[in-house]
């Protein structure tokens, strides 16, 4: 087991890891909260996949918009939609931008809804 000697137990990164069967497909989640970012890894293939950054922008009129940028991997509308939906979810309780590592071979609206529900059920309210 890897140990980080000298690192206090109040290390500034909190992480929750879990797995769930979704339509018969093993799906792994790692939800991490750093002091300046949220970092979510969601994979059905055991790899990080595409890395996307999402954040909340407030317009001069006071409205909310969302910025999504693919940092590594294939840029596609489904991955960016997933990132946008996750930042919408997390921005209800956190101002931190989100890094999303997503490896989902067959993204669908129903799968997105399930992933959002699972993440929402597993994030610590007010602590991310």
């Amino acid at each position: 087991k890897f140990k980080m000697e000298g690192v206090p137990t109040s290390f500034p990164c909190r992480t929750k890891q879990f797995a769930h069967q979704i339509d018969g497909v093993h799906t792994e989640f790692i939800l991490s909260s750093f002091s300046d970012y949220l970092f979510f890894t969601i994979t059905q293939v055991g790899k990080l996949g595409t890395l996307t950054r999402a954040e909340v922008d407030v317009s001069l009129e006071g409205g909310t918009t969302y910025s999504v940028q693919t940092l590594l991997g294939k840029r596609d509308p489904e991955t960016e939609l997933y990132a946008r939906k996750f930042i919408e979810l997390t921005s209800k309780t956190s101002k931190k931008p989100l890094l999303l590592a997503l490896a989902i071979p067959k993204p669908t609206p129903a799968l997105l809804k399930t992933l959002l529900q699972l993440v929402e059920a597993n994030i610590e309210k007010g602590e991310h």
Side-chain angles (χ1 to χ4, degrees):
K1 185 174 180 181
F2 181 75
K3 287 180 99 176
M4 294 178 64
E5 292 187 22
V7 176
T9 56
S10 62
F11 189 69
C13 174
R14 289 182 309 278
T15 298
K16 180 158 190 181
Q17 184 172 356
F18 61 99
H20 196 82
Q21 288 289 116
I22 302 173
D23 296 327
V25 179
H26 180 77
T27 307
E28 296 178 49
F29 298 78
I30 302 172
L31 312 177
S32 299
S33 178
F34 292 84
S35 61
D36 57 347
Y37 269 90
L38 300 174
F39 182 33
F40 292 178
T41 301
I42 303 171
T43 182
Q44 291 182 326
V45 295
K47 298 178 182 180
L48 288 178
T50 298
L51 183 63
T52 307
R53 181 180 190 275
E55 67 182 321
V56 177
D57 298 317
V58 179
S59 68
L60 294 175
E61 297 82 31
T64 302
T65 59
Y66 302 93
S67 299
V68 177
Q69 178 184 16
T70 299
L71 301 176
L72 295 170
K74 180 181 175 189
R75 183 176 180 196
D76 65 70
E78 290 88 2
T79 301
E80 291 185 354
L81 172 65
Y82 276 53
R84 180 191 163 117
K85 290 298 187 180
F86 279 107
I87 193 67
E88 286 178 18
L89 172 68
T90 60
S91 68
K92 294 175 188 175
T93 57
S94 176
K95 303 264 187 245
K96 297 176 188 177
L98 170 69
L99 292 175
L100 175 65
L102 187 68
I104 303 294
K106 297 178 184 172
T108 66
L111 178 58
L112 173 59
K113 183 177 179 182
T114 301
L115 295 176
L116 285 166
Q117 290 170 342
L118 288 167
V119 168
E120 184 172 29
N122 282 279
I123 55 177
E124 297 176 23
K125 304 292 185 237
E127 293 190 22
H128 58 275

